[in-house]
Every structure is written in C-alpha cells, then in structure tokens.
Amino acid sequence: MKISFERLYVISLLIVVAFLVLYPVGMIFFGSIRDTAPGLAGHFSLDGYAKIFRDPDTYTLLLGTLWLAIIRTVLIVVTAVFLAWAVSRTNIPYRGLLKGIIIFAFFMPYMPKILAWIIMLNSRTGLINQAARTIFPLGDEGPFNVYSYGGIIFTSVLLWTPILFILLVPVFEAMDASLEEQSRMSGASIWRTIWHIDVPLARPALLAATALAFVRMIESFTVELVLGIPAKIYVLTTKIYNNLAYTEPPLYPPAMALAVGLLVITIIIVAIQWKLLGQRQYGTVTGKGFRVAPVDLRKFKYLVFSGVLLFIFLNLVLPLGVLLWGSFTKIAGVFMPNMYTLAHYRYALSTTMFTRSIVNTLVIASISATVAMVLCSLVGYVVVKTNFRERRPLDLVTWLPWAIPSIVLALGMLWAYILLPLPFGLTLYGTTGIIIVAFVTKGFPMGTRTMTSTMIQITKELEESSRIHGASWTQTFTRIMLPLVSPGFMSGWLILFTLAAKDLDTVILLYNSRSIILSTLMYEWWWRGELEEAFILGLIQAAIITVAYTGATLLGRKILPPVT
Amino acid sequence: MPTFKTRDEWKASYDAHIAELVAGSKKEGSKLVVYMGRELPAWYEQVTKYFKEKYGIDVEFMGLGAFEAASKIKAEVAAGKVTGDYQASGSSLARPMALDGFYQYYLPPAGLEPGINWFIDPLLDVKDPAFAGKAFSPIISVSMFGIMINTKLVPPDKEPKTWKDLLDPAWKGKLIMQDPSVSGSGNRIYWGMSKRYGADFLKQLVTQNLFIERNEANAARAVASGGYAMYIGSATTHLRQVEGSPVKVIFPEGVVLSIDDVGVITGAPHLNAARLFANFQISKDGQEISTKYGERTPIRGDVKPALDILDTAGKKILYFQTYDDDVNLMPQLREQAKQIFNIK
C-alpha cells in the first residue's frame, strides 16, 4: 500500500507528540497500578483505585472540585469575553494600550501575585482590610478574607482571565464589522448585536476557551494549596499532593489513581467540546476583505472603559505595587520603625544563582517556546484543516498535559526520563535539555489551542484556491497558511515563553543547580523564608517578560503580514 | 567502629583521611551538590566561601522541600543516574532514607574525635542495633522549638508558663501553628505536646480555632505582623526571618528538640566532596559556622552557642525524637494529627 507524503507526515507528528505526552502520562498510569514508585522494586496492584473508590472523601472532594471549577470557569469566561470585546470591538479610549496591559497582566508570575494578595487581603493584617477598618467600625477582622472560597475564586479569576483574553482577542479582532453594522442598521441594539452576531461568530473559540478554562480549574493547584488548605478547603489536586508530599511514605498508588481520574474527566470534556462543535465550518477570515471598525458604545463608553480599568488595577497595579513596596521593606507587610531597606536587593544580586537563573530562563524559555510552537502549528493544521483519521487522537493527546496536576506530571516526567534508555551513553536527565522537553510538553495544550483557534477561522477557499493553482500541500501550508497564522504563532510563542519563564511545578523535580531558572530559585527562596528576595525575583521575571513581549510585538509589527 | 586512644592518634588519621578526600574530590571536578532547604542566607555564603578557599570545591545548594528532594533522590538512585551528592534534613526524613538504602554507609571520623563532650553524639544511630549493617544518617545539629509571641499582644504577665495556658479563652482565634501532619515545626511540637499531655489536650487546643499554616516562615510573619499573638512550635531560627519586629521565642515548661541529620547519597557523583562535607559539618569549624551564621544549636561541647537563646543549658528537654519515633511511629502520628486537626 502506498502511503502519501502527507499521511507519513501526520503519522510522524503523531508519534513525536504522543511520545512527548504519553510517555510521562503512561508513567503516571503505571504508578497507579503499582504499589511503589516506578523504578523501585514492587508489585502490580489495583489497591490505589480500590482505596480511592472506597474513600468517601473522594466523592466529597470531586463534588467540591467540580463546583469550584464551574463557578470559576463561568466567571473567567465572562470576564475574558467582556475584556476581549471591549478592547477589540468597541470605541473605548486607549484600546491598544489596554489590550497590551491585560496581556502583560498574564505574564506576571502567579506565586508572587498570590502572596501579594495575601498581604492585602489577610483578614487581620491585610493592608486593604486594615484600611477598611480605619474607615468602618468592623472589629478586628475582615471585611475580606483571602483564605476562603471567595478568596480562591477571586484570585483564580484574576490569574486566569488574561490567558483566555489572549485566546479570544484575535477572534474578536478578526470579525467582520460589516456584520455588526448590518445588524445595527436593521434596528438591533448594541447588546442584541453582541448576543446574536459577536457571540455566535466567536462560538468555536469560546467553546475551546471554556473547555480550556474548565480543565485548568479542575487541575488548578497552587491557589488551592496556598489559600485553600489554611481554610480547610480541599480539592482533588490538593488531596493528590497531600498523598505524595505530606504522607510518609508517599501514597503513590491512590495519588496516581486520582490523577488518572482527572485525566478521564478531561477526556470527557474534550469529547463534549468536539460534539458541540460538530462538523460545522466557522470560517470568518475569508479571501474577501472585511472591515474592523469599532462599535460606538455612546453613553456606555466610559462605563465599559471603567470596567476594564478596574480589572487592570486589581490584576496588575495593586499586586505589582505590593511586590515593589514589599521588596524594599525589612519584612513585607509588617510596619515597624526604619522599615525600608536595600538589603534584600544587595543579597539577591550578590548570589551566583541569581545571574545563572536569569540566563537559563531566557535561553530555556526561548528554545522551548520555539520548538513547541512549531510542533503546535503543525498539529493545529492537521486537526483543523485535514480529514486524516489521526487528527482526533492528535488533538486529544495535546490536551493531556493540562489535565494532570503539575506536580503529578512532574513525577511522570521524572520517572519517564530518568528511566529512558538512550544509546551511546547519552543522557537527557540532568541536562538543560530535560527542562526544554518538559516545557515543550507542558506547552502543547495552550500552543495547540492558540493555533487551532486561529486556523479554524481561515476558510478552506484560500487553500483550495492555492491547490487549484498547482501549489503542493507543503507550499500551501508555508505560503498561505503560515503568513495568515503568524500573529497567532507569535501570540502562542509569547504565551509559551511566559509559561516557561514562570512555570515552577513542571520542572521542580527535573532541574539541578546548573539548570536552575528564576521560578525555581524563587521557590527556593520563598521556601526558606526569604519572601522579599522572592518578590525581587518575581519583579525580574515580570521585567524579562515585558521586554520579551515588547520586543516580540515590535518585531511582529515589522515582519508579520496583517491578517487579511 | 575504629577507636583512638589519644587525640594525636585520631588527628593523624583524620588529616590523612581528609587529604585523601581532597585529592579524590579534585579528580571528581571539585564540585559538590547539596540538598539543603532551610538555612539562613549568611550560612550559605560562609560555607560556600569556606569550601572554595580551603578545598577549592564549588558547593552548590538546592533548596528543595523534603518531598521534592526525596522523590528526586529516590528516582535517581533507582535509575542509577544520581545528580546530587549530599542531603541535610530533619531526622524523620533522613533516618528512613538511610535505612532504605538511599544514603550510603559512611562513618565520618570527625565524629570520633576523642575528648569531645557531645551534646548529642553525631554517630548515635550507628550504635543502634536497628542500623546494624545498614547506612545511617549522622547528626549535625539540633533545633529548639517553643512558642513565638508578639510582645505587643502578649504582655509579660500573660506569657504562657505551661502548654495548658494556651487553652485560655483569651487566646481563642489568636494562635497559629504549622501543619502538624507534615514534617516541620508543627509536627515536632505536636508530638512534644502529645507526649506530655495526650490527645485530649490537643483536641481542646483545636477548639481554640488554631490557624494552620504549611509554611513556617509565613507563620512567623503572621505573628510579627500582629495577625496572631502566638506561633506554637516556632524554632529559634525563625527569629532572624522577622528581625526587627516585636517578637521573641519562649519555652514554657522546656524545649522540644529536633535532630538535623545528613546523608551521602548512594551513587553520589562527587563522593569524596560529599564525605568531606559530612566531616566539615561535624568538625569544630563547621559547628562554629553553623551556630554563628546558621543560628543552630551546636552538638559539640567545645563550640559555644552564638546566641543565648541557642543554649540548651538550664533548659529542660521535653522531647527528643528517637529512631523508633521517626521510623515506626511517624505514620501513626501524622494520621492522628490529621484526624484531630481535621486535615484531609
């Protein structure tokens, strides 16, 4: 049987992606049916599954996890849609600047942001609470408490809205304004136009974004760990972590069985998303020209503008301000005489790890983002623009790294690559290469979603036209698709660069002193109580990402063709 | 175990051994990777400088948490791809690691020095039958746990004189403690209180609406900022992290002690440097740097504690964890703590 070049390419791609994802995921599954960690002597056993099914806590935690994920997903999607619509379809002032700032908000590392909110919203000593109590007679506590369901939801919405915004903005920007104009000319109100024109046009991207947010919220871990556990709020991921990190000896089988359960939930969500999207075509970027003129909000203009500003203030200005302020204080959040100092900066700058972690972060994040985006572009094209039967498994495989709690994925990767037999005495484990592999793998869900969201809007007529005029499949991909998806590629590259530059959990078990990056150094300093130094690293991370973002944006404007 | 009749005899043997290790470490690239989580910044600086100047060895520290470090070491040892050389941690982690073969047997001759009045014998475990024919983890220091109080919120006349004073309704909602079901200060103090007053006392303590925090440094900050009046189980090293704030550590009834252990990892790529480091930590130089820059209580009688608060003299020792506590009873203790404190 003759296999075409295209099919060979798709199968090769599937093998590469499947290896990167399924090998570590397989190790997690392997861990769930063994009574010890992979690599250690032990026996096959289903006790892990039996234990979680028998444990009534599992069902309580599952319900709690789903409830919390649904609430947060709804709020995140609504907020992201509002922001994306406001900056791309309306006439509010400084739209371009606001868009850039919201994207920048996503680039801020999570951990320092959470710590900053603790300093602000701790029920007793939080700066905002103290300020509120000086105005209103509220007693010794409150009115806000970051260690609560409200605190978890609020922080999660702030942390995760920008990433959905990044996914949705290109979709809103690519909509043909003439459709909205026709709606308005037919007498529809602004809100009716949004509901009947904008939302249906963005439906595929919205569904993808909702699914992504939901999966992310089920897998969410750091916020729940830091804010949930002190309030005795537990979810499945913190249960998994407790089984691993806070039980001696670690209970690998039930922890891994729970992680497999989370994988199953993700597969169901992806299947539902496929079912909802069906086989319909959602192309909005066509071979014809279209208008992108904004909608005049008239009297609502400044109301919407204020809403966007409020989000930016809460998401960026306040936490960044607290980090900056805290880094100059002896003890962040503690008021005392002579409280300001440069000692934390002097110490941070004097360590060799400081410089090394910055260089490593830049090199590792750049390489991994580039490699991942090349793979994700190829995957996105196969998934959206071809009918190969391998496209569904390929799509599903790219979701998996997001379905697993990071710490579990980290264990899977540790076991996978430490046991990976390579010829000629080569080794991947213990090198910087392993960190790059980890980030490429972790980048698949976001990278692929960015590219599929972009590609799904490009109608087949462009490619068909190219093929009719004699171009090969490869020429069509490189000369028609690539230029059209370049903004999406750049946006995806930035997202993956950022994720790599601030990711901690994925590489916490893989790095060593030679491959240390900013996030792992920040963790080390935070863990040993040097919070202010950790703040400084958080600020430097933000600065690096800002430079990368600005550079990529300027470069993008120069070299990338507009989407028309 | 070798014995030495005189100090000179020991010194000659010790110096020869150290010279061998230094020569060996040069062949290994004069490098050492140490897993060590929670020392003070000044200690890292001094030790790095000392080792570079004295032996030409570059020491690199990795500050992973106990679980992360142990997972990494176990997987690396099982696969034969070890990247780290040496680990320092609490004995509840180190003792099982040694018994399970993740540390290799090494008897640091620094612990055999004659004429030293050891507060705690660094080679205590090697003499325990449970470790016969197995690796063990030498002891390098002890930590003392008490209660950190905010002096603005707890006037001298209200300072707890016994642990039971914590049950005073005045302290309801004003106490913070590190999670007793995980390794760390909460676990140590929990066991100390449990041994002294039993589980009923702990159940009563829970009714005081204790705030449970996983990160010890955060607990100290919460007291320093006035959010809570007392941090039950604070170590003396926490004082440095909140220096300048109105806090102090008190020891009602006495102190709960925790042992700090070390181990040379099985298959360590820089074996000689790791052994050198084990000797250094027990040696007079190492103990002096430990107490002066790390604010740890020394185990050698010939090294004075750098601060009064680090001195065990005149303090009643309430609890001191044994091999049996760390290896056999720890799982039960953690489960009990989870139930009493309703931790899932």
Side-chain angles (χ1 to χ4, degrees):
Chain A
M1 189 181 79
K2 194 182 171 190
I3 301 177
S4 66
F5 167 75
E6 287 89 347
R7 186 167 198 87
L8 204 60
Y9 150 74
V10 172
I11 292 170
S12 311
L13 188 63
L14 181 60
I15 291 170
V16 171
V17 174
F19 174 78
L20 288 172
V21 176
L22 294 183
Y23 181 43
V25 170
M27 279 294 173
I28 294 167
F29 180 72
F30 187 59
S32 75
I33 55 169
R34 298 265 301 171
D35 57 4
T36 58
L40 300 179
H43 304 94
F44 285 99
S45 161
L46 291 175
D47 282 356
Y49 288 94
K51 195 172 164 51
I52 63 164
F53 281 119
R54 280 200 301 263
D55 185 355
D57 274 355
T58 305
Y59 305 100
T60 319
L61 293 175
L62 178 63
L63 281 177
T65 304
L66 290 174
W67 172 84
L68 206 48
I70 290 168
I71 297 267
R72 288 187 291 181
T73 301
V74 169
L75 291 173
I76 289 168
V77 171
V78 168
T79 315
V81 166
F82 166 74
L83 294 170
W85 168 79
V87 303
S88 55
R89 310 299 308 164
T90 74
N91 65 334
I92 60 169
Y94 309 112
R95 290 186 302 145
L97 181 65
L98 294 176
K99 176 184 155 190
I101 294 173
I102 297 171
I103 293 171
F104 172 71
F106 159 73
F107 295 155
M108 282 273 289
Y110 303 135
M111 196 60 183
K113 258 187 180 178
I114 298 169
L115 298 176
W117 276 106
I118 291 174
I119 287 176
M120 285 186 279
L121 289 184
N122 185 306
S123 67
R124 299 195 178 174
T125 55
L127 302 176
I128 291 175
N129 281 325
Q130 286 189 56
R133 291 201 296 268
T134 58
I135 302 168
F136 307 103
L138 294 164
D140 294 337
E141 291 188 44
F144 305 108
N145 182 8
V146 75
Y147 297 104
S148 64
Y149 279 109
I152 292 172
I153 292 169
F154 172 75
T155 316
S156 302
V157 171
L158 287 182
L159 291 178
W160 287 97
T161 294
I163 198 160
L164 258 69
F165 170 87
I166 290 171
L167 288 176
L168 291 173
V169 155
V171 179
F172 278 86
E173 284 179 342
M175 284 176 189
D176 190 343
S178 60
L179 297 171
E180 288 167 330
E181 281 174 12
Q182 284 163 26
S183 167
R184 297 300 306 278
M185 283 166 69
S186 308
S189 68
I190 292 171
W191 311 113
R192 196 175 158 83
T193 302
I194 293 168
W195 186 246
H196 289 286
I197 302 294
D198 293 347
V199 170
L201 279 174
R203 190 177 295 153
L206 266 177
L207 273 173
T210 306
L212 194 75
F214 189 63
V215 169
R216 187 63 192 76
M217 286 304 103
I218 284 179
E219 187 263 353
S220 179
F221 169 66
T222 312
V223 173
E224 291 78 357
L225 181 76
V226 178
L227 303 181
I229 285 180
K232 294 197 163 45
I233 296 170
Y234 301 96
V235 291
L236 284 173
T237 50
T238 47
K239 174 77 173 175
I240 291 172
Y241 191 64
N242 277 354
N243 276 339
L244 292 172
Y246 292 122
T247 309
E248 190 56 48
L251 299 174
Y252 289 111
M256 295 299 140
L258 277 175
V260 172
L262 287 179
L263 269 176
V264 172
I265 293 173
T266 301
I267 291 167
I268 292 169
I269 295 165
V270 176
I272 292 170
Q273 188 209 358
W274 283 345
K275 184 87 180 163
L276 289 174
L277 280 177
Q279 297 299 316
R280 282 171 287 175
Q281 296 294 316
Y282 286 96
T284 59
V285 179
T286 66
K288 302 161 193 161
F290 68 92
R291 284 166 42 78
V292 291
V295 175
D296 186 359
L297 290 178
R298 297 174 197 162
K299 60 184 176 184
F300 296 111
K301 183 174 163 183
Y302 286 99
L303 186 68
V304 171
F305 180 57
S306 307
V308 178
L309 284 187
L310 178 66
F311 179 83
I312 290 170
F313 181 72
L314 293 175
N315 196 311
L316 197 63
V317 179
L318 265 182
L320 199 61
V322 167
L323 288 188
L324 195 60
W325 171 75
S327 69
F328 288 106
T329 59
K330 281 181 183 165
I331 310 171
V334 178
F335 293 93
M336 60 170 103
N338 304 317
M339 60 188 281
Y340 294 102
T341 178
L342 287 172
H344 303 302
Y345 280 89
R346 276 196 292 271
Y347 171 70
L349 294 171
S350 71
T351 62
T352 50
M353 288 297 174
F354 178 78
T355 323
R356 188 184 294 172
S357 68
I358 292 174
V359 173
N360 282 346
T361 302
L362 289 171
V363 173
I364 291 171
S366 303
I367 295 174
S368 58
T370 307
V371 174
M373 280 314 294
V374 169
L375 285 171
C376 291
S377 301
L378 298 172
V379 171
Y381 185 74
V382 171
V383 169
V384 175
K385 297 293 174 190
T386 74
N387 289 315
F388 291 113
R389 64 172 178 266
E390 291 84 2
R391 69 196 168 98
R392 283 286 163 86
L394 195 58
D395 193 18
L396 180 62
V397 162
T398 60
W399 273 95
L400 298 184
W402 213 329
I404 307 162
S406 298
I407 190 69
V408 177
L409 185 63
L411 266 178
M413 288 192 184
L414 171 71
W415 292 334
Y417 292 111
I418 208 166
L419 297 171
L420 179 70
L422 286 175
F424 313 116
L426 292 172
T427 181
L428 189 58
Y429 182 78
T431 66
T432 306
I434 185 78
I435 310 288
I436 292 171
V437 168
F439 284 147
V440 168
T441 309
K442 187 73 180 175
F444 280 139
M446 274 309 302
T448 309
R449 246 38 70 197
T450 309
M451 294 315 290
T452 52
S453 294
T454 309
M455 287 181 182
I456 208 163
Q457 295 182 71
I458 298 167
T459 56
K460 279 204 163 184
E461 67 191 54
L462 295 169
E463 294 164 82
E464 284 163 1
S465 169
S466 165
R467 299 300 295 271
I468 288 165
H469 285 84
S472 69
W473 186 84
T474 315
Q475 283 173 317
T476 304
F477 178 76
T478 53
R479 299 183 63 176
I480 302 294
M481 287 302 286
L482 270 187
L484 283 172
V485 300
S486 295
F489 184 97
M490 286 305 290
S491 153
W493 188 92
L494 269 173
I495 293 171
L496 296 198
F497 176 89
T498 306
L499 286 176
K502 67 185 185 182
D503 191 318
L504 168 66
D505 298 336
T506 310
V507 293
I508 188 126
L509 300 177
L510 301 175
Y511 83 99
N512 57 34
S513 55
R514 304 306 302 175
S515 59
I516 195 163
I517 56 176
L518 273 167
S519 58
T520 49
L521 185 61
M522 194 192 312
Y523 162 80
E524 288 193 6
W525 285 0
W526 171 72
W527 178 247
R528 66 190 205 203
E530 294 159 34
L531 185 65
E532 296 74 18
E533 283 80 358
F535 280 4
I536 293 169
L537 294 181
L539 290 166
I540 287 167
Q541 259 183 318
I544 286 177
I545 291 162
T546 309
V547 171
Y549 169 64
T550 312
T553 309
L554 294 174
L555 192 70
R557 277 186 197 151
K558 267 189 179 175
I559 65 169
L560 298 177
V563 186
T564 53
Chain B
M1 193 187 318
T3 51
F4 300 94
K5 287 175 186 166
T6 65
R7 195 175 182 287
D8 288 345
E9 191 186 340
W10 169 83
K11 184 82 169 62
S13 167
Y14 180 76
D15 287 347
H17 181 66
I18 294 297
E20 270 178 38
L21 293 178
V22 173
S25 74
K26 279 182 185 157
K27 289 178 190 162
E28 295 163 351
S30 296
K31 196 186 151 191
L32 175 68
V33 177
V34 176
Y35 295 108
M36 187 174 275
R38 283 178 264 185
E39 296 301 321
L40 295 173
W43 182 88
Y44 290 106
E45 280 177 41
Q46 286 302 315
V47 170
T48 310
K49 192 174 154 198
Y50 181 94
F51 250 64
K52 184 71 183 170
E53 285 175 1
K54 187 153 187 177
Y55 304 122
I57 294 174
D58 291 312
V59 185
E60 294 187 343
F61 293 100
M62 289 188 69
L64 290 173
F67 158 71
E68 285 83 3
S71 295
K72 197 170 161 68
I73 292 168
K74 286 176 182 175
E76 288 185 355
V77 171
K81 293 180 182 173
V82 180
T83 57
D85 303 300
Y86 185 89
Q87 186 181 30
S89 69
S91 62
S92 60
L93 175 76
R95 279 170 162 157
M97 290 284 284
L99 282 172
D100 292 342
F102 296 107
Y103 295 161
Q104 53 183 287
Y105 181 87
Y106 176 61
L107 188 75
L112 298 170
E113 187 173 348
I116 301 298
N117 181 23
W118 298 101
F119 173 59
I120 291 177
D121 183 353
L123 308 179
L124 181 72
D125 283 355
V126 79
K127 294 161 189 165
D128 191 314
F131 288 84
K134 294 183 174 178
F136 72 102
S137 50
I139 297 164
I140 50 145
S141 65
V142 292
S143 300
M144 287 192 283
F145 295 96
I147 299 176
M148 178 182 281
I149 60 170
N150 184 309
T151 51
K152 284 187 177 172
L153 300 175
V154 186
D157 59 319
K158 296 282 183 192
E159 285 179 12
K161 305 294 182 291
T162 73
W163 294 106
K164 286 198 168 177
D165 289 344
L166 294 170
L167 302 179
D168 186 331
W171 304 128
K172 191 159 191 157
K174 293 179 180 171
L175 306 174
I176 189 167
M177 182 174 169
Q178 197 227 357
D179 189 340
S181 69
V182 306
S183 66
S185 69
N187 182 263
R188 290 281 160 264
I189 208 79
Y190 174 89
W191 205 328
M193 292 191 293
S194 169
K195 286 209 166 188
R196 191 153 180 81
Y197 292 122
D200 283 344
F201 167 73
L202 292 159
K203 286 174 187 168
Q204 285 178 277
L205 194 60
V206 171
T207 64
Q208 288 286 64
N209 294 344
L210 261 74
F211 188 88
I212 301 298
E213 169 62 70
R214 284 240 163 122
N215 185 301
E216 294 178 15
N218 284 351
R221 285 166 184 274
V223 172
S225 62
Y228 291 87
M230 292 188 247
Y231 165 18
I232 305 171
S234 171
T236 50
T237 44
H238 295 139
L239 285 169
R240 179 68 67 206
Q241 292 164 348
V242 290
E243 196 176 10
S245 60
V247 297
K248 67 176 182 179
V249 174
I250 59 166
F251 303 98
E253 302 185 49
V255 297
V256 171
L257 279 186
S258 170
I259 300 171
D260 308 311
D261 283 20
V262 296
V264 177
I265 297 165
T266 303
H270 310 103
L271 176 63
N272 290 288
R275 290 179 167 178
L276 202 55
F277 204 74
N279 281 293
F280 159 75
Q281 290 217 273
I282 298 167
S283 72
K284 193 172 183 185
D285 280 0
Q287 289 283 300
E288 279 175 345
I289 290 175
S290 169
T291 189
K292 188 172 176 186
Y293 298 101
E295 300 189 3
R296 297 273 181 182
T297 298
I299 56 169
R300 292 175 67 108
D302 59 346
V303 175
K304 286 195 171 176
L307 303 168
D308 287 345
I309 199 166
L310 302 175
D311 201 341
T312 50
K315 295 188 179 87
K316 185 180 172 187
I317 309 297
L318 287 180
Y319 166 68
F320 179 89
Q321 83 230 64
T322 62
Y323 151 77
D324 196 40
D325 290 341
D326 279 336
V327 178
N328 298 323
L329 300 177
M330 184 58 76
Q332 294 168 33
L333 172 91
R334 288 185 167 165
E335 274 311 304
Q336 185 200 53
K338 280 181 185 172
Q339 284 173 14
I340 291 178
F341 285 78
N342 189 25
I343 295 164
K344 288 180 181 169

